[in-house]
Amino acid sequence: MLEPAGSSETSVDVTPEVKASLRTESREAPATGQGRSDSASDQHRSAAADSGPSVDSEQTLPCIHCGEPTPSASDTAANQVFCCPGCRAAYHLIQGWGLGDFYALRDQAKLTGAARAAGQSERFEQFESPEYLGPSTPRVRNDGTCSTELAVHGLHCGACSWLIENASLRKPGILSARIKMSEHTFQLIYDPQRIKLSEIARLMDSLGYQLAPYDASQENHIHLENRRLLIQIAIAGFLAANAMWIAIALYAGEFTGVAADHRYFLGLMGTALGIAAVMGPGRTFFTGALAALRTWTPHMDLPVALGLSVGAAVGLWNAFRGSGHVYFDSLATLVFFLLIGRWIQFRQQRRAARAVDLMLRITPQHATLVREGQTRQVMVDSLMPGDEILVAPGESVAADGEIVSGETAVDRSLLTGESVPIQAKPGSQVCAGMVNLKSPVQVRVSATGDASRIGKVMQSVEAASAEKTPIVMLADKVGGYFVITVTVLATITFLLWLRYADLSTATSHATALLIVACPCALALATPLAVAVGLGRAARAGILIRDGSAFQQLSKPGYVWFDKTGTLTEGRQRVTSLVGSEQGLRLAAAVEEHCVHPIGQAITREAARRGLEPVGDGQLEQLVTGGILGIAEEHAIAVGNRQLMQAQGIYIPPDISAAAETFLGQGETPIYIAVDGAVVSLVGLADPLRENAKSVINRLKNLGWQVGILSGDHPSITRLVGQQLGLPEDQCFGGLSPEEKLQSIHRSRAQFKQVAMVGDGANDAAALAAADTGIAVRGGAEVSLQAAPVFIATGKLSSLVQLFRGSSQTTRVIYITFAVSLAYNMIAVAFAMAGLISPLVAAVLMPISSVSVMAVTLASRSFEELNL
């Protein structure tokens, strides 16, 4: 029997403690005719053992719940034997909750237990192989000890970290053990002469945690840059806070009086703080300004650097002269707030850094290499064309290749989105990322990495992201003109006042203009509005990783939907039944031993209808198009029409007619035959998700055109489109990832804005190529990396919130720009007229930022909708 994916990690049996508790209760309960105490049962078993065959026609059968041998009357049904009332209660509780699959999983776990134990031992020994560890290969230190960093699976909280660290240090040979909860990694220093890495992995497994190789190189750059920005903000904040305290003392001295020597000293100290802020954390703006001058490109850093330079130079001169204004508090505060804006932008752009090496996130990093009859785990990167690998049931194929032995069914949804698995046999081509569903197969490798099909899809993602011109935010568009205008006006102001007044007055008015017209609010308007929009969207269950998505989605265009898992539930379900329910019951008895999605759908439907099998079915053979088995001494066949014909099974005319009806309704007909004749027919379909039609209608009302791009059969795609009220010429099925990408490119040539909503790695290239990619919950991780928007709620109704919230956020950006520009126009006019001194300019400068913040926070976006 096949082992379901994940069964090696999750126990499916009732714990001994629970059973002991239940049995204790049953022993303490009064004896009745409905049960038998453990002591009575033990006495009976002892008597039976001593006296040989029972004379009261009782036989020993396994308890249906726990499997322990239990005396039972010969006329008792084989699946109704219980060793105690506790097992009986647990059995009926599990069945009542619709969790009958528990017993099939339990039986498979028992059958594969010995093989799993052997596999566990081999898995631990792999930690001695550099080929398996890759970047986590231990590094030898000067004192002969080794250090390494491994990924830890199963961490949940600080208690887990405490347990691992303390348990490790109690093991001889482990010198240092540290858990990084933020990365879920285990940093380890150990003595290889006293303990092996495989023994440490075994120790962690005994504690309930699994170790695996870890590659930290891709995250280091992001963390270092984030840390550098935060350190700059912290330094600028410290300098600004202290400069502000000195400024308060000097401003207060304007009214209450202050000694000249004290004023001079405080002026020098404040100037030192302002110069430190400008030359330290603020040097990033001078770097950008110099780059703008070298390329003759107007940039927001140019007026910032100019204002900082003039303010610092004049302030430094006045500080040493002991007269005039020094502006140090304005300088330090300005640097502090502008760095915060830079950090917000960096946070928005982190998605690009996280997109590195996406392929390793969706395909296995290791493969089971078969060579000279021996198997061992190796890194996928080390595989060469011609190597042969073993793919167990439930595992993903690690490389493109051809099956050389074994027959199975594979799930291609990662690549094609096809909702129904296909049969694969020797000679069949398989691709990295496909999932083996039934039996072990051996694959001869033909391509790995970038040369594989999924690797080419990843290259399409990178190419689409690179060729897509980034949306230039409104701040950059207006900023170029603003920079030139302010610089020119400051020069004119200086020259005019120099002609009609002295140098000090001209410098004072020009500096006041540069300070009061500082683009602080203009630079912060977009990041602030975007940050508020991101936070409100996150509270609504919509994670947006690129602020430009707001501007993209605010203008109606064309939105394409993937079908499987996006518009539909993404899981096969029995939607129709023709014929005998007993046929469904017998089929479920056989299918419960199979991990195929169709078999699981049949098992779930039988459980929903309360059709419990009388005995355990036997899965005898996996064949092309279905399965063959035995249930209640009947020969059972479940599969498609081709299987029935190949087995010579009789199909009644009414069943054939029903099958044609199912096909017309977009359902997949599955035949159930008992003893050579079809007695039941079930229709399987992937039903529409809740509110799918109302969401489509709301998007149309917002001005968007809607279509479907699917890898599923064209007829099924058209039927889904018909149910949603979409025209057939906008519903395309049978598309490969490359064809979806081409459809997006054609749409971008016709429409200003194109959005793609997907749920699977097959959509990764299309998500990246669209102006805005939107991944829904359940999609492969690569889709989340390629798409700037992730619908964490999994609800299609959140799409309407996203589109409306984007329009509202974009409107706020326009309003804040208008407020900021209006303020600057008025302030510049006053400064040119000589009505604003540098001191007043320093006081007025934050007003624009405060007004922008007030408008942004007062706006309402991403409010909950009722569909």
Side-chain angles (χ1 to χ4, degrees):
M1 297 183 186
L2 301 179
E3 180 182 353
S7 61
S8 64
E9 296 181 1
T10 304
S11 176
V12 296
D13 211 344
V14 175
T15 62
E17 292 80 1
V18 173
K19 289 191 62 180
S21 175
L22 290 172
R23 287 180 175 167
T24 301
E25 294 177 3
S26 68
R27 286 195 293 269
E28 294 174 353
T32 66
Q34 299 177 351
R36 181 187 299 114
S37 69
D38 274 3
S39 58
S41 179
D42 292 341
Q43 293 172 4
H44 184 89
R45 292 171 188 165
S46 176
D50 294 339
S51 60
S54 175
V55 297
D56 58 356
S57 301
E58 286 194 348
Q59 56 183 339
T60 299
L61 294 174
C63 172
I64 185 175
H65 179 70
C66 69
E68 292 188 4
T70 305
S72 176
S74 59
D75 59 347
T76 301
N79 70 328
Q80 294 295 327
V81 177
F82 301 98
C83 65
C84 66
C87 285
R88 181 190 300 274
Y91 174 82
H92 289 298
L93 187 63
I94 291 172
Q95 294 293 342
W97 282 342
L99 303 176
D101 290 346
F102 162 84
Y103 296 102
L105 296 172
R106 189 264 321 268
D107 294 340
Q108 292 183 20
K110 290 180 179 179
L111 289 173
T112 57
R116 186 180 301 116
Q120 289 277 37
S121 177
E122 180 182 352
R123 178 167 65 88
F124 295 135
E125 294 302 323
Q126 295 165 3
F127 281 86
E128 304 302 327
S129 170
E131 292 181 345
Y132 173 77
L133 291 174
S136 291
T137 300
R139 297 177 297 277
V140 180
R141 294 153 54 93
N142 294 334
D143 56 0
T145 61
C146 292
S147 64
T148 184
E149 185 172 13
L150 299 164
V152 185
H153 300 290
L155 283 178
H156 299 291
C157 60
C160 297
S161 173
W162 179 89
L163 175 62
I164 292 176
E165 292 177 353
N166 284 270
S168 298
L169 295 178
R170 295 175 183 271
K171 189 77 171 178
I174 300 180
L175 307 178
S176 175
R178 291 289 182 270
I179 291 292
K180 290 177 63 177
M181 286 297 297
S182 59
E183 303 296 336
H184 281 213
T185 59
F186 185 26
Q187 296 177 332
L188 183 68
I189 300 177
Y190 68 99
D191 185 353
Q193 302 298 325
R194 302 173 61 190
I195 189 171
K196 295 181 178 179
L197 190 60
S198 57
E199 296 176 9
I200 299 175
R202 193 185 301 273
L203 171 64
M204 293 299 104
D205 188 77
S206 67
L207 297 175
Y209 307 97
Q210 291 76 44
L211 299 183
Y214 172 71
D215 184 3
S217 60
Q218 305 301 336
E219 294 291 334
N220 283 342
H221 171 72
I222 296 175
H223 290 300
L224 290 175
E225 181 65 15
N226 187 62
R227 181 184 179 187
R228 185 185 69 83
L229 288 174
L230 290 176
I231 289 175
Q232 286 185 342
I233 292 173
I235 295 174
F238 170 80
L239 295 173
N242 285 277
M244 193 61 68
W245 281 114
I246 296 177
I248 291 174
L250 290 177
Y251 293 154
E254 293 286 340
F255 303 98
T256 62
V258 61
D261 56 340
H262 291 171
R263 174 182 291 278
Y264 185 75
F265 174 76
L266 290 176
L268 289 178
M269 293 301 298
T271 301
L273 292 172
I275 296 298
V278 171
M279 302 306 295
R283 68 179 179 275
T284 183
F285 303 109
F286 290 93
T287 302
L290 290 175
L293 291 175
R294 283 196 298 266
T295 58
W296 291 94
T297 303
H299 191 272
M300 294 294 290
D301 282 347
L302 196 54
V304 172
L306 183 59
L308 292 176
S309 300
V310 173
V314 175
L316 187 61
W317 172 253
N318 289 338
F320 281 112
R321 285 197 312 133
S323 63
H325 302 289
V326 291
Y327 318 119
F328 54 84
D329 53 334
S330 298
L331 295 176
T333 304
L334 181 61
V335 170
F336 175 65
F337 281 113
L338 288 177
L339 285 175
I340 291 178
R342 286 289 172 91
W343 180 74
I344 293 174
Q345 294 174 356
F346 170 78
R347 296 284 295 182
Q348 295 169 9
Q349 297 167 356
R350 268 187 82 178
R351 179 186 62 84
R354 289 179 175 175
V356 177
D357 209 8
L358 299 182
M359 188 175 60
L360 293 181
R361 299 178 182 269
I362 61 171
T363 56
Q365 298 186 37
H366 303 90
T368 303
L369 178 65
V370 180
R371 184 168 291 172
E372 298 179 355
Q374 302 293 323
T375 62
R376 60 191 177 94
Q377 290 283 322
V378 298
M379 298 288 290
V380 171
D381 293 342
S382 67
L383 293 176
M384 300 293 294
D387 287 343
E388 294 187 2
I389 59 175
L390 181 66
V391 184
E395 290 184 352
S396 295
V397 181
D400 291 2
E402 176 184 341
I403 294 180
V404 295
S405 65
E407 294 188 15
T408 187
V410 294
D411 180 354
R412 303 179 299 165
S413 60
L414 188 67
L415 280 167
T416 67
E418 187 75 33
S419 55
V420 179
I422 62 169
Q423 297 295 321
K425 56 186 178 181
S428 299
Q429 297 293 323
V430 292
C431 299
M434 293 183 178
V435 179
N436 180 15
L437 295 175
K438 286 186 176 180
S439 308
V441 291
Q442 198 161 317
V443 177
R444 181 180 293 116
V445 175
S446 61
T448 62
D450 292 341
S452 66
R453 184 177 177 185
I454 192 67
K456 293 176 180 177
V457 171
M458 293 305 99
Q459 293 176 35
S460 299
V461 171
E462 295 176 2
S465 299
E467 72 181 23
K468 180 171 57 179
T469 303
I471 292 296
V472 180
M473 300 302 290
L474 191 57
D476 296 329
K477 295 180 180 179
V478 178
Y481 299 105
F482 181 85
V483 168
I484 297 173
T485 302
V486 169
T487 304
V488 170
L489 291 178
T491 304
I492 293 174
T493 301
F494 177 81
L495 293 177
L496 287 176
W497 282 100
L498 182 62
R499 179 178 180 181
Y500 296 104
D502 56 10
L503 176 63
S504 177
T505 303
T507 302
S508 176
H509 292 333
T511 303
L513 189 151
L514 288 172
I515 292 176
V516 78
C518 178
C520 182
L522 199 61
L524 287 177
T526 298
L528 183 62
V530 168
V532 172
L534 293 177
R536 291 176 177 174
R539 286 195 295 270
I542 304 171
L543 305 182
I544 303 175
R545 302 186 179 182
D546 189 349
S548 64
F550 290 132
Q551 187 171 354
Q552 304 278 12
L553 297 177
S554 64
K555 303 174 183 178
Y558 208 107
V559 55
W560 290 102
F561 282 84
D562 176 45
K563 181 188 73 68
T564 305
T566 303
L567 293 171
T568 64
E569 293 180 357
R571 185 175 73 165
Q572 292 289 322
R573 192 172 74 186
V574 175
T575 53
S576 302
L577 172 64
V578 172
S580 170
E581 281 192 338
Q582 296 305 311
L584 178 64
R585 180 176 61 82
L586 294 172
V590 178
E591 292 281 13
E592 67 179 0
H593 302 292
C594 181
V595 295
H596 195 283
I598 291 179
Q600 294 175 344
I602 291 175
T603 304
R604 287 194 302 269
E605 180 64 16
R608 189 185 70 83
R609 292 172 177 260
L611 303 175
E612 298 182 6
V614 176
D616 288 337
Q618 297 180 8
L619 177 60
E620 292 195 332
Q621 190 176 1
L622 299 169
V623 295
T624 301
I627 63 171
L628 303 176
I630 300 293
E632 300 178 17
E633 300 182 355
H634 295 287
I636 307 298
V638 183
N640 58 24
R641 189 180 187 90
Q642 290 73 18
L643 172 64
M644 301 296 124
Q645 294 173 343
Q647 297 294 322
I649 295 174
Y650 171 68
I651 304 177
D654 59 332
I655 295 292
S656 295
E660 295 298 326
T661 303
F662 286 178
L663 288 172
Q665 297 172 350
E667 300 177 354
T668 302
I670 300 297
Y671 299 80
I672 300 174
V674 178
D675 295 330
V678 175
V679 298
S680 305
L681 180 74
V682 295
L684 275 73
D686 185 7
L688 288 175
R689 298 178 70 175
E690 183 183 5
N691 295 329
K693 187 171 184 179
S694 60
V695 168
I696 296 298
N697 292 334
R698 291 292 291 271
L699 292 180
K700 290 181 179 179
N701 293 336
L702 291 175
W704 289 83
Q705 298 186 47
V706 183
I708 300 177
L709 299 176
S710 175
D712 216 336
H713 195 278
S715 62
I716 297 178
T717 303
R718 287 193 296 270
L719 180 63
V720 170
Q722 181 181 353
Q723 296 173 349
L724 295 172
L726 301 177
E728 288 190 3
D729 60 353
Q730 298 301 321
C731 302
F732 302 95
L735 301 179
S736 66
E738 296 79 5
E739 290 170 333
K740 288 186 179 183
L741 178 60
Q742 294 173 5
S743 298
I744 295 296
H745 284 313
R746 287 194 296 267
S747 298
R748 293 190 65 193
Q750 302 175 19
F751 300 92
K752 292 184 179 180
Q753 299 296 329
V754 176
M756 175 70 192
V757 184
D759 177 32
N762 58 300
D763 303 320
L767 288 169
D771 293 310
T772 304
I774 305 171
V776 297
R777 187 175 63 179
E781 187 172 0
V782 64
S783 293
L784 307 184
Q785 301 294 336
V789 182
F790 174 38
I791 306 297
T793 63
K795 299 178 181 179
L796 284 179
S797 58
S798 296
L799 287 174
V800 181
Q801 282 184 279
L802 170 64
F803 282 79
R804 290 190 58 181
S806 297
S807 298
Q808 294 163 344
T809 301
T810 303
R811 190 180 305 115
V812 169
I813 293 176
Y814 278 97
I815 293 174
T816 53
F817 264 99
V819 170
S820 177
L821 288 175
Y823 158 82
N824 278 287
M825 290 174 62
I826 297 173
V828 165
F830 285 171
M832 294 185 68
L835 301 177
I836 298 178
S837 67
L839 177 60
V840 175
V843 175
L844 292 178
M845 187 268 292
I847 292 180
S848 60
S849 299
V850 173
S851 60
V852 165
M853 183 177 297
V855 172
T856 302
L857 296 178
S859 64
R860 300 171 68 97
S861 58
F862 291 96
E863 295 178 325
E864 187 174 355
L865 301 174
N866 294 321
L867 297 180

